[in-house]
């Protein structure tokens, strides 16, 4: 009798259990296998029929949410679980374009070309990911690329600030300001990506994984700091 | 009872064959048990004790079998799997730190390979030390050019990105192709003259990679515009890293004919000196060049500055 009662109670309550999530920042979207046909199943099939604006807005919201996570880095698994590479692509293209405006008129363009920046960022991310996987990390390849790409955001912000500062002049004062901005943002990038990646590494190798990330952002910061506009 | 003693007998056989293998390598392996690297060895031997036949596929040269059998218990995966390459990264933070410190302070009695690397060569150290050195050379070369240009009228900083690719090519080919050539040479000599000490390819790569670590602070010191400081730092760096190489490879060639041994050691040192001075010459202008360059530009700059000013106003409007 008691068992029958429990069975009867559990069926409608089953749907309510889907609201109990283990941690705050894991979104639960239609992943509960419930024998009762919940409406969340229908959503996966009907995304083809929704207007394009909805699809784009949903992806943009996901990207925007990850930007917020980078701004306030705390140990969160959202960035890792729902990885996407739109954000890194956007940041990489923006950074590479902004590094192009300088020294356009001179014949000897000593600054990095667009392709060079692109290659450094993507190739560097791939090398760092391979390094952390070879050292025994549990993170997947694209998750790591996603984290490293999103954490370039402070450096992109620093690039914008540097270009604004350079509009005012390129003397010693502007150099000091740019140095401080770039140093702060590259430390922020390293700290943010370490916060996301450190959990997936065995504890006796954390420094071995963090150092290449530090080198990567240091080189990007160096490219930003040494950007000189056309004379 | 009989079954028990049989079981004990077979188990002990297994153990004694392991220690037999361990002792059969070369005499110096006995001394490594007290280091950190040595403590990992017994666990690895037991974990992957069935030594498979894949090692012969990977390293068909006879002389490396002894060292490979000692360390080869780890390489039981075929070389096309990811796990095979993971065995080359089986180091911990403190081990890498010890190896770097050991490469900075050579000592006549201590062989770098035997003390720090034996049976656990890693690719992490060589790869990332070379990467750091590439970027440090490119950045410091840029900074030194900038400091040179500081007094000139057209103080335009041009970050020369080509230098990174050139530095990368030079350093990586030195750190990987020279060990390959040296390893081939040592194997060829070993086939003629039986040497007690032999190194695997990865161990040679490790020695070369870690010996480059001393150049990183040396290159940073090259920023200072005093020629005496630059010469001092390059000579000290050459002595330290060169002595690591000499101390490592001398035991491997001393059993050979004296002329061949001297020739090999001279070639190693010559390539090392060439790398150091080549980098210095290419990436850092010497102070004499700076003086002549300043004179040339000052004469030239007064002519071109009006045109540059017009250019500036054009771009700003």
């Amino acid at each position: 009798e008691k068992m029958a009662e429990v069975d009867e109670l559990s069926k409608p309550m089953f749907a309510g259990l889907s609201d109990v999530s283990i941690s705050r920042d894991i979104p639960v979207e239609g992943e509960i296998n419930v024998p009762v046909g919940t409406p969340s199943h229908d959503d996966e099939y009907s995304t083809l029929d929704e207007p394009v604006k909805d699809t784009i807005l949903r992806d943009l919201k996901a990207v925007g949410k990850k930007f917020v996570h980078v701004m306030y880095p705390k140990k969160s698994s959202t960035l890792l679980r729902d990885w996407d590479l739109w954000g890194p692509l956007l940041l990489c293209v923006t950074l590479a374009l902004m590094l192009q405006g300088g020294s356009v008129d001179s014949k000897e363009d000593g600054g990095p070309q667009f392709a060079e920046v692109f290659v450094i960022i993507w190739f560097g991310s791939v090398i760092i990911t391979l390094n952390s996987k070879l050292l025994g990390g549990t993170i997947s390849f694209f998750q790591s690329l996603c984290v490293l790409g999103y954490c370039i955001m402070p450096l992109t912000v620093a690039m914008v600030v540097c270009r604004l500062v350079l509009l005012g002049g390129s003397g010693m004062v502007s150099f000091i300001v740019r140095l401080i901005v770039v140093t702060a943002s590259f430390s922020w990038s390293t700290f943010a990506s370490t916060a996301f990646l450190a959990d997936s590494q065995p504890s006796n190798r954390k420094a071995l994984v963090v150092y290449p990330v530090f080198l990567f952002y240091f080189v990007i910061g160096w490219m930003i700091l040494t950007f000189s506009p056309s004379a | 009872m009989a079954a028990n003693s049989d079981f004990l007998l077979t188990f002990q056989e297994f153990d004694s064959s392991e220690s037999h293998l361990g002792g059969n390598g070369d005499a110096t392996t006995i001394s490594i048990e007290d280091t950190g690297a040595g403590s990992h060895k017994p666990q690895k031997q037991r974990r992957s004790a069935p030594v498979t036949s894949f090692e012969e596929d990977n390293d068909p040269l006879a002389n490396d079998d002894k060292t490979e059998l000692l360390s080869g218990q780890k390489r039981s995966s075929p070389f096309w799997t990811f796990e095979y390459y993971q065995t080359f990264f089986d180091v911990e933070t403190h081990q890498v730190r010890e190896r770097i410190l050991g490469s900075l302070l050579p000592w006549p009695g201590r062989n770098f390979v035997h003390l720090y690397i034996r049976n656990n060569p890693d690719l992490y150290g060589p790869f990332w030390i070379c990467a750091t050195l590439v970027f440090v050379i490119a950045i410091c070369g840029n900074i030194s050019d900038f400091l040179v240009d500081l007094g000139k009228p057209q103080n335009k900083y041009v970050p020369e990105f080509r230098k990174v690719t050139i530095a990368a090519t030079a350093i990586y080919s030195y750190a990987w192709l020279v060990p390959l050539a040296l390893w081939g040479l040592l194997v060829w000599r070993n086939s003629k003259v039986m040497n007690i000490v032999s190194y695997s390819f990865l161990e040679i790569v490790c020695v070369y990679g870690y010996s480059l670590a001393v150049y990183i602070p040396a290159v940073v010191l090259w920023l200072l515009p005093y020629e005496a400081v630059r010469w001092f730092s390059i000579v000290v760096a050459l002595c330290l890293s060169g002595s690591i190489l000499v101390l490592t490879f001398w035991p491997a060639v001393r059993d050979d004919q004296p002329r061949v041994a001297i020739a090999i050691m001279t070639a190693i040192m010559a390539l090392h000196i060439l790398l150091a001075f080549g980098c210095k010459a290419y990436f850092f202008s010497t102070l004499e060049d700076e003086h002549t360059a300043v004179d040339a530009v000052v004469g030239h700059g007064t002519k071109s500055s009006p045109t540059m000013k017009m250019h500036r106003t054009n771009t700003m409007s």
Side-chain angles (χ1 to χ4, degrees):
Chain A
E1 257 183 33
K2 241 187 175 179
M3 296 293 282
E5 263 182 23
V6 167
D7 276 342
E8 278 177 4
L9 283 172
S10 70
K11 274 186 191 155
M13 277 174 69
F14 223 134
L17 276 177
S18 68
D19 296 331
V20 177
S21 57
I22 298 161
S23 86
R24 270 176 289 121
D25 45 14
I26 298 182
V28 181
E29 293 178 358
E31 288 168 331
I32 310 291
N33 294 332
V34 177
V36 182
T38 54
S40 58
H41 277 290
D42 293 337
D43 278 350
E44 294 184 20
Y45 299 116
S46 69
T47 55
L48 278 175
D49 297 335
E50 68 181 8
V52 173
K53 187 174 71 127
D54 282 356
T55 317
I56 293 182
L57 276 180
R58 188 175 59 232
D59 281 341
L60 278 178
K61 259 191 234 167
V63 170
K65 202 161 48 167
K66 290 201 190 66
F67 278 141
V68 170
H69 272 282
V70 173
M71 293 304 284
Y72 302 108
K74 54 183 190 296
K75 286 189 173 47
S76 141
S77 53
T78 311
L79 205 68
L80 293 182
R81 278 179 72 258
D82 307 324
W83 61 267
D84 73 273
L85 293 178
W86 284 115
L89 182 68
L90 192 67
L91 288 170
C92 182
V93 168
T94 313
L95 193 60
L97 281 176
M98 283 201 286
L99 277 169
Q100 283 310 294
S103 321
V104 170
D105 304 321
S106 71
K107 283 179 198 154
E108 274 192 34
D109 188 5
Q113 302 293 319
F114 184 89
E116 282 170 349
V117 176
F118 222 79
V119 160
I120 279 198
I121 292 182
W122 289 100
F123 193 60
S125 305
V126 166
I127 295 271
I128 294 178
T129 308
L130 277 181
N131 178 63
S132 72
K133 284 187 78 66
L134 282 169
L135 281 170
T138 54
I139 200 170
S140 94
F141 184 74
F142 286 108
Q143 281 174 351
S144 173
L145 281 186
C146 167
V147 168
L148 287 169
Y150 271 102
C151 289
I152 293 184
M153 196 186 71
L155 283 166
T156 312
V157 168
M159 180 80 222
V160 172
V161 170
C162 281
R163 288 213 75 163
L164 291 176
V165 167
L166 277 170
L167 283 180
S170 54
M172 199 59 176
V173 173
S174 90
F175 177 73
I176 302 271
V177 170
R178 283 184 291 142
L179 180 68
I180 295 177
V181 167
V182 169
T183 310
S185 63
F186 118 80
S187 330
W188 192 346
S189 290
T190 311
F191 173 68
S193 63
T194 310
F196 291 122
L197 291 176
D199 281 342
S200 61
Q201 292 300 323
S203 60
N204 54 357
R205 294 179 181 178
K206 278 210 170 60
L208 297 184
V209 173
V210 168
Y211 172 70
V213 175
F214 165 84
L215 188 65
F216 177 63
Y217 290 127
F218 182 81
V219 169
I220 297 182
W222 176 256
M223 286 198 294
I224 292 176
L225 185 62
T226 59
F227 172 78
S228 65
S230 55
Chain B
M1 282 292 280
N4 266 354
S5 61
D6 278 349
F7 173 70
L8 280 174
L9 273 176
T10 52
F11 185 67
Q12 279 173 0
E13 240 182 75
F14 182 72
D15 255 351
S16 70
S17 74
E18 275 191 358
S19 57
H20 181 67
L21 280 175
N24 205 16
D26 45 57
T28 50
T29 51
I30 302 169
S31 63
I32 63 165
E33 293 306 325
D34 47 338
T35 63
S39 64
H40 290 272
K41 199 163 62 87
Q43 292 155 6
K44 291 206 178 62
Q45 281 178 349
R46 274 183 210 117
R47 206 184 356 184
S48 46
V51 174
T52 65
S53 62
F54 290 113
E55 290 149 23
E56 281 107 61
D57 296 340
N58 299 333
D59 260 352
L61 286 151
N63 209 13
D64 279 3
D65 273 358
K66 284 183 192 145
T67 46
E68 279 301 318
L69 280 174
L70 286 174
S71 60
Q73 282 83 0
K74 296 185 290 179
R75 316 216 199 294
S76 49
S77 323
F79 66 92
W80 57 83
T81 61
F82 193 67
E83 284 73 28
Y84 176 75
Y85 296 102
Q86 264 185 328
T87 59
F88 300 140
F89 282 77
D90 201 6
V91 280
E92 303 180 2
T93 311
H94 69 91
Q95 282 178 314
V96 173
R97 195 171 49 226
E98 281 165 19
R99 290 177 187 189
I100 294 180
L101 285 176
S103 77
L104 293 178
L105 304 165
W107 204 248
R110 307 198 296 199
N111 187 323
F112 182 71
V113 174
H114 289 153
L115 197 56
Y116 293 104
I117 294 186
R118 206 48 166 176
N119 298 332
N120 195 16
D122 69 305
L123 287 181
Y124 178 90
F127 183 79
W128 287 108
I129 290 178
C130 289
T132 310
L133 191 60
V134 164
F135 286 115
V136 165
I137 284 186
I139 289 177
C140 289
N142 249 335
I143 294 181
S144 88
D145 286 346
F146 172 70
L147 290 176
V148 161
D149 290 349
L150 205 54
K152 295 186 196 162
Q154 45 165 12
N155 188 15
K156 187 180 107 163
Y157 178 72
V158 174
E160 293 195 26
F161 211 67
R162 309 279 170 270
K163 294 196 164 174
V164 175
T165 41
I166 295 172
T169 314
I171 290 185
Y172 272 100
S173 37
Y174 177 77
W176 295 80
L177 293 182
V178 171
L180 185 67
L182 188 62
W183 173 72
L185 189 66
L186 285 178
V187 162
W188 172 61
R189 292 311 303 173
N190 269 335
S191 66
K192 299 198 167 183
V193 176
M194 189 60 208
N195 281 333
I196 297 179
V197 175
S198 67
Y199 300 119
S200 71
F201 171 61
L202 284 170
E203 287 169 348
I204 301 183
V205 166
C206 259
V207 171
Y208 266 87
Y210 280 105
S211 71
L212 287 177
V214 74
Y215 281 117
I216 296 177
V219 169
V220 174
L221 276 181
W222 287 353
L223 280 179
L224 300 176
Y226 305 109
E227 199 68 16
V229 171
R230 289 185 176 184
W231 278 106
F232 174 73
S233 73
I234 197 176
V235 165
V236 167
L238 259 182
C239 285
L240 287 176
S241 58
S243 54
I244 292 272
L245 293 178
V246 165
L247 286 172
T248 306
F249 289 111
W250 181 247
V253 298
R254 68 179 162 209
D255 298 320
D256 211 336
Q257 302 164 15
R259 286 204 300 184
V260 173
I262 300 283
I264 294 181
M265 300 307 296
T266 315
I268 292 176
M269 283 311 298
L271 281 171
H272 211 63
I273 294 175
L274 192 67
L275 178 82
F277 282 99
C279 284
K280 180 176 187 300
Y282 187 75
F283 293 103
F284 294 83
S285 49
T286 62
L287 287 172
E288 294 88 36
D289 294 345
E290 289 162 13
H291 288 314
T292 51
V294 166
D295 292 333
V297 166
V298 163
H300 190 70
T302 48
K303 282 187 205 162
S304 58
S305 50
T307 51
M308 283 180 62
K309 279 197 191 132
M310 275 171 41
H311 215 55
R312 203 175 296 154
T313 50
N314 274 345
T315 51
M316 277 172 65
S317 63

